[in-house]
Amino acid sequence: MAVVPDKVLILDNVVVLVNTNAAKPDTVEEPWRENLNMQMICRDCKEVPPNLVEEFSSGDMVCGSCGLVLGDRIVDTRSEWRTFSNDDQNNDDPSRVGDGANPLLNGSQLQTTIAFGNGGGAARDLHRAQNKATHDKATKALLAAYKEIGALCDAWHIPKNVSDTAKHLFKMVNDAGAFRGKSQDVVIAGCIFIACRQCGVPRTFREVFALTKVSKKEIGRIFKALEKFFAAQNLANAEKSIQAGGHLKEPTYVSTNSTKARELCIRYCSQLSLNPKTTAISEQLADKMGSVGALAGRSPLSAAAACIYFVSHLMGYPKSAKEISAVAGVSDGTIRTSYKLLEAEKDKLIDAEWLKVDKADINNLPKV
């Protein structure tokens, strides 16, 4: 079928035939629909598209034209290329990969374990070779000692900070290579004894002996030796800091004081299920007893037991000498003897405020 042109154009002596009635392709118009995409724009500038700037350093979304803050708490989702390789004193790289370093262990602590599972003989040989290559006897011995310290502290039901302190003390001894001839059980017993004192939950030689089966004599010896060793370590660290021209750091070990009767009263009263008021008065009596000198020369164990025996009867919640003896670990005869010394000084020891408490009466005290 021939197409008849409806226009004739002459351009530079060239005849061009134009058909304006030719069929045009069909175009389908999309129906109108609402744009549900949310877009943040500046309410002052109202620019479209908006000129927004994300300031990740401050976490703000800011209009680039007028400076209006449109949002806060912007999360930086970009990659972090910094490695922090030179930020600390040891110039190592605290990478974001893996678990945090354990300060109680030495080395990089980044290890790979090859499991042989169902891999056959070749995988088993590879597993053995890898274990031999990465085997560290020092770390294995430390882990065994830490496990024993944790088990002993758990048997006492004492706070975790005591266990961590004992492990830290043991690591200081192990790193210095001190007490090579001593049994590890003896060193562990001494570290636990010192850690209990440092954390405010002191235990007696008798209690440590019952827990670790190390004799009281050995515990006393290792305690004195450890005190000297840690004091020497503090002195050596201070001298190194002075020679390096730096500031004096806090000592890694703080010397402990002898156990006081007041500290034992709290624990013994708790085990005897005495009320908080009786416990508080027992502590006050233990402090007052030192100024009066009623039990001068007596051990803290017998002094604490006598104070509890005295106060429990005074406050109307009497505990027998046999009950207190089972908790304190001293004989009931020792408790009664110490009580006689307290009863002789009762006028100086008893505070008038104590007698205002319900059931409190000085006549409740057992007769000597």
Side-chain angles (χ1 to χ4, degrees):
M1 177 180 175
V3 179
V4 180
D6 56 357
K7 281 187 180 181
V8 178
L9 299 177
I10 301 175
L11 300 174
D12 297 333
N13 298 326
V14 177
V15 178
V16 179
L17 302 178
V18 179
N19 184 12
T20 58
N21 296 325
K24 298 179 180 180
D26 296 334
T27 57
V28 180
E29 295 184 358
E30 294 183 3
W32 179 89
R33 58 183 178 182
E34 184 180 1
N35 184 5
L36 299 178
N37 294 327
M38 296 182 65
Q39 188 177 27
M40 180 183 291
I41 64 173
C42 178
R43 61 173 176 266
D44 291 345
C45 302
K46 297 181 180 178
E47 294 179 346
V48 179
N51 180 20
L52 303 181
V53 178
E54 294 180 346
E55 294 185 353
F56 293 111
S57 59
S58 59
D60 296 334
M61 179 77 74
V62 182
C63 176
S65 302
C66 65
L68 180 66
V69 178
L70 302 177
D72 56 359
R73 300 177 182 271
I74 301 299
V75 178
D76 189 356
T77 57
R78 301 173 301 174
S79 299
E80 183 179 26
W81 297 111
R82 292 183 63 195
T83 61
F84 302 91
S85 58
N86 295 318
D87 285 2
D88 57 351
Q89 297 177 357
N90 297 326
N91 292 327
D92 57 352
D93 183 8
S95 175
R96 300 299 199 274
V97 180
D99 195 7
N102 187 352
L104 296 174
L105 297 177
N106 299 320
S108 62
Q109 303 174 27
L110 296 176
Q111 298 179 354
T112 301
T113 302
I114 300 177
F116 56 88
N118 297 325
R124 182 170 61 253
D125 294 340
L126 185 61
H127 172 74
R128 290 176 180 173
Q130 193 266 348
N131 280 345
K132 289 180 180 179
T134 60
H135 183 66
D136 187 1
K137 290 184 179 180
T139 302
K140 189 175 182 180
L142 274 178
L143 290 174
Y146 294 160
K147 185 177 181 180
E148 185 175 353
I149 291 174
L152 293 173
C153 292
D154 289 343
W156 254 347
H157 303 290
I158 53 180
K160 188 177 181 297
N161 63 330
V162 179
S163 174
D164 293 340
T165 303
K167 292 176 183 178
H168 176 67
L169 295 176
F170 183 85
K171 184 177 185 298
M172 291 173 62
V173 174
N174 185 78
D175 290 347
F179 307 107
R180 289 289 187 187
K182 287 285 185 180
S183 169
Q184 181 173 290
D185 294 338
V186 175
V187 178
I188 288 176
C191 291
I192 292 176
F193 179 79
I194 295 175
C196 289
R197 281 194 174 185
Q198 286 192 335
C199 297
V201 285
R203 294 297 191 270
T204 62
F205 287 157
R206 186 176 300 166
E207 290 173 305
V208 178
F209 161 69
L211 178 71
T212 62
K213 306 306 178 185
V214 177
S215 66
K216 293 187 288 183
K217 193 173 184 179
E218 282 293 332
I219 296 172
R221 286 177 180 173
I222 194 64
F223 166 66
K224 292 180 181 178
L226 287 172
E227 287 267 284
K228 291 180 181 179
F229 167 75
F230 292 133
Q233 287 284 96
N234 286 341
L235 185 60
N237 293 336
E239 290 178 353
K240 287 181 181 179
S241 299
I242 294 173
Q243 290 175 1
H247 297 286
L248 285 175
K249 298 180 181 178
E250 293 185 4
T252 54
Y253 174 78
V254 180
S255 59
T256 59
N257 298 320
S258 59
T259 305
K260 298 180 180 178
R262 175 192 177 95
E263 298 170 340
L264 297 175
C265 284
I266 303 173
R267 183 156 51 92
Y268 293 164
C269 288
S270 175
Q271 294 175 358
L272 290 168
S273 302
L274 292 172
N275 58 50
K277 189 64 179 177
T278 305
T279 303
I281 294 177
S282 298
E283 295 177 57
Q284 296 175 24
L285 178 61
D287 288 339
K288 210 168 185 180
M289 170 192 67
S291 59
V292 174
L295 294 180
R298 294 277 175 174
S299 70
L301 287 172
S302 57
C307 289
I308 295 173
Y309 183 76
F310 184 97
V311 173
S312 64
H313 284 83
L314 177 67
M315 305 306 295
Y317 301 96
K319 294 292 181 180
S320 66
K322 200 168 186 179
E323 291 177 288
I324 300 174
S325 173
V327 171
V330 293
S331 64
D332 50 353
T334 303
I335 296 175
R336 292 192 183 93
T337 303
S338 300
Y339 167 75
K340 290 179 183 179
L341 300 176
L342 291 178
E343 201 271 341
E345 301 289 343
K346 62 182 179 182
D347 296 333
K348 297 179 182 178
L349 294 174
I350 297 177
D351 194 340
E353 294 294 326
W354 301 351
L355 299 176
K356 295 180 181 179
V357 181
D358 187 27
K359 292 187 178 181
D361 190 355
I362 196 171
N363 296 323
N364 292 337
L365 294 175
K367 301 300 180 182
V368 178

